[in-house]
Amino acid sequence: MTDQNSETKTAPTNFIRQIIEKDLAQGKHARIVTRFPPEPNGYLHIGHAKSICLNFGIAEAYQGDCQLRFDDTNPAKEEDEYIQSIQRDVSWLGFEWAGDVRYASGYFDTIYDCAVELIKKGLAYVESLTADEMREYRGTLKAPGRPSPYRERSVEENLALFEQMKNGDIDEGAAVLRAKIDMASPNISLRDPTLYRVRKIHHHQTGDKWCIYPMYDFTHPISDALEGVTHSLCTLEFEAHRPLYDWVIEHCALPAAPRQYEFARLNLNYTVTSKRKLKDLVDGGYVGGWDDPRMPTIAGLRRRGYTPASLRKFCEMVGVARADSVVDMGMLESAIRDDLNQNAPRAFCVLRPLKLVIENLPDGHEEMLDAPVHPQNEALGTRKIPLTREVFIDREDFLEEANKKFKRLVLDSEVRLRYGYVIRANEVIKDAAGNITEVRCTYDPDTLGKNPEGRKVRGVIHWVSATRNVPCEVRRYSRLFNEANPDKVAEEGLTFLSNINPDSLESLPAALAEESLLGALPETRYQFEREGYFAVDRDSTTEKLVFNMTVGLKEGF
Ligand code: ATP
Ligand code: MG
């Protein structure tokens, strides 16, 4: 995409780009290849957006390739729905992967051959200890591990047992294949890590072909090498696994020697960025689904009204570093606010309608007023707003009594209907319970586009015609969690779910938008003047539009 190219070219440098520039300058690589390797066990979230922008952004900036590879080694948790959603989200963000989508499972044959090679070299063995025993033998951060009694099995025995594992003759949990590295290593991931385990389950790509599946740490370097990845970028929790990554590259006969580099995860306050926790929110019914507009998933942010450009901009602002940090949600909000302030057409929508009757307009009066689509961008032209004898204003824009600070309509004083006339409130009609049901007004015909002489009006308010409008439901959102760090729980035994904000969704079911919004399609975004930024939701029907509030007009709404 062209707009994106210009973004990435001006993107600030970071330590990874510096490494790449050095590698290119020294002729270590002629072409840069990166990959984005999601596990298809959930929807992508804003943290993944950072990884996507980094990997694809680098490929674009250095005219290289970025591949999309599903890291699908754990079929128990994986689903086709996630494979589809991940591709949709990456494309929507504006990135194109090189060639076909790839699957780690597509390399299972080669990975198996690598395992057999390692056994033949005396670098892998079949373990028959139970999982509990293995844990005990592994030692701790302070104490070295002990060698398993099965560590010195002969190559022939190992080959035969591994073959049995593969053929389904060994039960799940009864054996695993381990690398033979160093049980005394200070790095626990080098204490004979597991390479393969028995899992007698169907795989979404390979069907029932396999009943043994390779571990992530074994699969990843091999997949990277097979794809010619030059820089394998992952998050910091894999730093301790890098020696294992290098060990696999060194001891398996592979066509290339990729290098792993780690960067800090993106964490956002007031939300969670872990597919497992997001799945808990979905499965527990705490939200309406993976794309609930309160979710920090890419699909949720999209439905909320975020644009791809705003998420890319946010990732650029966050930057790429090696120090873990928590980013303020306000930064994400300001990225979309800036985008929509510049690009969203303006519209009127009255969220809590209060009827106003303009008594000196005749019944059936219809006058088309002109309003700019975007006050800072004349090129976008104007929209027509019908003024009728009855209009609606927001309940919060009227008071029977107020001091001078209240810049809206007050009984016996004047306000301007935006893009229309100055009106005066003369009388209030109430129901038996004392609620205001109607305000009776008069308008000053001499005030269209000019101020009344000798008087000051309090302010300007938005409005919609009572007879020509579009009924809407407006959904407003606040933080999904009450705690900045949702994992900080009040008492032991509680989980992040105890910090859910029960009032994160507020529905305004009787809102009315200006007529020009009739037929607006899902994902169309507007600034509702004086209210904020809103996007049409896919729940909309021909009778009623549904809007999601994306973000308020100002920070701290
Ligand atoms: P989760 O814990 O949410 O499941 P994950 O790391 O297990 O995350 P993967 O599908 O394995 O999810 O991640 C794909 C890529 O995205 C990996 O390279 C991973 O390092 C990166 N990634 C995941 N979460 C973040 C994050 N919060 N910030 C930056 N990159 C991330
Ligand atoms: Mg993972």
Side-chain angles (χ1 to χ4, degrees):
M1 286 177 85
T2 46
D3 66 326
Q4 203 171 286
N5 273 329
S6 59
E7 265 166 51
T8 44
K9 287 216 181 81
T10 58
T13 188
N14 57 53
F15 76 96
I16 292 174
R17 284 177 173 239
Q18 285 161 8
I19 290 167
I20 288 174
E21 280 164 21
K22 200 169 141 214
D23 288 350
L24 284 171
Q26 295 179 345
K28 193 167 161 195
H29 302 289
R31 188 176 175 80
I32 301 301
V33 181
T34 58
R35 86 288 169 264
F36 174 63
E39 186 183 347
N41 61 349
Y43 278 57
L44 298 180
H45 52 63
I46 184 71
H48 294 109
K50 173 175 173 176
S51 178
I52 292 168
C53 289
L54 175 64
N55 281 294
F56 285 91
I58 280 176
E60 277 175 6
Y62 301 100
Q63 288 89 51
D65 286 329
C66 180
Q67 275 135 202
L68 175 63
R69 181 206 313 147
F70 287 104
D71 165 30
D72 55 348
T73 54
N74 187 5
K77 292 191 172 159
E78 297 163 7
E79 279 178 32
D80 191 59
E81 179 193 351
Y82 303 142
I83 289 183
Q84 302 309 323
S85 73
I86 289 170
Q87 294 180 56
R88 196 160 58 232
D89 290 348
V90 172
S91 299
W92 179 77
L93 274 176
F95 297 108
E96 252 178 73
W97 49 89
D100 293 338
V101 171
R102 296 147 202 254
Y103 295 86
S105 57
Y107 311 129
F108 280 175
D109 286 320
T110 310
I111 298 169
Y112 179 80
D113 293 343
C114 287
V116 170
E117 251 336 279
L118 290 176
I119 295 174
K120 287 182 181 162
K121 289 180 182 168
L123 292 173
Y125 62 97
V126 173
E127 174 64 273
S128 300
L129 291 177
T130 64
D132 283 342
E133 288 167 334
M134 274 176 71
R135 206 167 300 125
E136 196 210 313
Y137 274 75
R138 188 175 298 130
T140 63
L141 282 173
K142 289 188 188 114
R146 288 178 290 139
S148 156
Y150 303 102
R151 198 172 196 260
E152 300 308 327
R153 276 176 161 153
S154 69
V155 168
E156 290 67 36
E157 193 184 358
N158 281 317
L159 286 174
L161 286 169
F162 190 47
E163 176 87 22
Q164 286 177 33
M165 280 172 67
K166 180 192 167 202
N167 292 340
D169 299 335
I170 294 186
D171 288 340
E172 275 185 33
V176 296
L177 184 75
R178 297 179 79 170
K180 195 171 180 179
I181 308 182
D182 180 5
M183 286 306 290
S185 172
N187 182 342
I188 293 185
S189 58
L190 291 181
R191 292 184 192 167
D192 292 9
T194 299
L195 302 179
Y196 259 97
R197 64 217 188 292
V198 178
R199 298 294 266 126
K200 296 188 176 172
I201 43 177
H202 186 85
H203 188 287
H204 49 95
Q205 302 301 317
T206 57
D208 295 315
K209 177 172 176 192
W210 296 93
C211 60
I212 53 171
Y213 291 97
M215 302 300 287
Y216 171 88
D217 280 335
F218 189 43
T219 308
H220 209 74
I222 296 174
S223 307
D224 283 345
L226 294 176
E227 292 177 3
V229 167
T230 54
H231 298 78
S232 180
L233 313 176
C234 63
T235 36
L236 277 176
E237 68 270 24
F238 292 101
E239 185 175 15
H241 300 229
R242 189 181 345 126
L244 175 55
Y245 184 101
D246 292 341
W247 184 92
V248 173
I249 296 293
E250 184 187 339
H251 294 287
C252 297
L254 294 166
R259 292 283 308 267
Q260 172 182 309
Y261 298 93
E262 308 88 21
F263 63 96
R265 289 182 86 79
L266 169 67
N267 303 299
L268 256 193
N269 62 8
Y270 293 102
T271 193
V272 290
T273 43
S274 144
K275 279 180 279 178
R276 182 182 59 74
K277 288 178 191 156
L278 294 172
K279 189 169 189 313
D280 287 346
L281 291 174
V282 174
D283 292 347
Y286 296 96
V287 293
W290 284 99
D291 71 346
D292 185 295
R294 290 166 291 181
M295 291 280 271
T297 51
I298 294 177
L301 292 164
R302 174 178 181 175
R303 194 170 164 195
R304 178 83 172 250
Y306 279 75
T307 59
S310 67
L311 296 185
R312 295 195 302 260
K313 179 75 192 166
F314 168 72
C315 292
E316 188 187 312
M317 291 194 292
V318 166
V320 179
R322 277 187 56 89
D324 266 315
S325 66
V326 180
V327 173
D328 193 273
M329 182 68 94
M331 198 161 148
L332 181 62
E333 291 170 349
S334 88
I336 185 61
R337 187 181 296 113
D338 288 351
D339 179 339
L340 296 180
N341 180 36
Q342 214 181 323
N343 300 310
R346 274 43 177 172
F348 284 164
C349 182
V350 171
L351 302 187
R352 294 140 298 215
L354 170 64
K355 191 193 277 185
L356 211 132
V357 181
I358 305 171
E359 292 183 295
N360 55 343
L361 279 178
D363 275 336
H365 179 86
E366 276 187 6
E367 181 178 351
M368 299 310 281
L369 300 173
D370 278 320
V373 171
H374 194 302
Q376 281 88 51
N377 187 352
E378 268 182 32
L380 294 178
T382 58
R383 60 192 210 262
K384 295 277 182 206
I385 307 180
L387 175 67
T388 48
R389 180 177 150 90
E390 294 191 353
V391 301
F392 285 103
I393 63 166
D394 199 288
R395 261 179 198 280
E396 297 198 344
D397 283 340
F398 177 76
L399 285 178
E400 287 181 86
E401 279 173 53
N403 64 23
K404 284 208 172 64
K405 284 188 195 143
F406 188 74
K407 301 289 182 208
R408 316 175 200 182
L409 187 60
V410 178
L411 194 57
D412 293 324
S413 73
E414 287 182 309
V415 82
R416 179 179 294 280
L417 294 180
R418 190 152 166 87
Y419 305 124
Y421 299 89
V422 168
I423 55 160
R424 166 181 290 275
N426 302 317
E427 189 192 347
V428 168
I429 314 276
K430 294 181 181 175
D431 64 13
N435 302 309
I436 301 173
T437 54
E438 196 175 301
V439 180
R440 298 249 150 191
C441 302
T442 43
Y443 87 110
D444 180 344
D446 207 25
T447 52
L448 188 63
K450 60 181 178 193
N451 287 325
E453 267 167 44
R455 294 128 54 205
K456 268 193 94 168
V457 300
R458 280 178 178 259
V460 184
I461 61 173
H462 64 286
W463 54 279
V464 295
S465 161
T467 45
R468 297 180 59 174
N469 58 46
V470 189
C472 305
E473 177 192 341
V474 171
R475 297 173 184 165
R476 297 204 296 188
Y477 305 100
S478 42
R479 310 260 190 257
L480 189 49
F481 291 93
N482 286 320
E483 270 289 332
N485 173 8
D487 288 317
K488 194 179 131 201
V489 292
E491 296 165 43
E492 216 180 304
L494 293 176
T495 70
F496 74 104
L497 295 170
S498 65
N499 285 320
I500 285 189
N501 171 10
D503 304 314
S504 58
L505 166 64
E506 177 199 10
S507 171
L508 299 157
L512 295 168
E514 66 176 70
E515 195 185 46
S516 72
L517 269 52
L518 197 69
L521 297 173
E523 295 187 25
T524 313
R525 306 167 183 93
Y526 296 95
Q527 184 198 84
F528 288 165
E529 297 196 36
R530 303 182 62 235
E531 296 290 356
Y533 297 95
F534 295 79
V536 181
D537 190 80
R538 60 167 161 76
D539 285 349
S540 298
T541 62
T542 42
E543 283 77 45
K544 199 169 198 176
L545 284 177
V546 177
F547 281 97
N548 295 311
M549 177 156 179
T550 313
V551 70
L553 290 174
K554 294 204 175 71
E555 195 171 350
F557 170 81

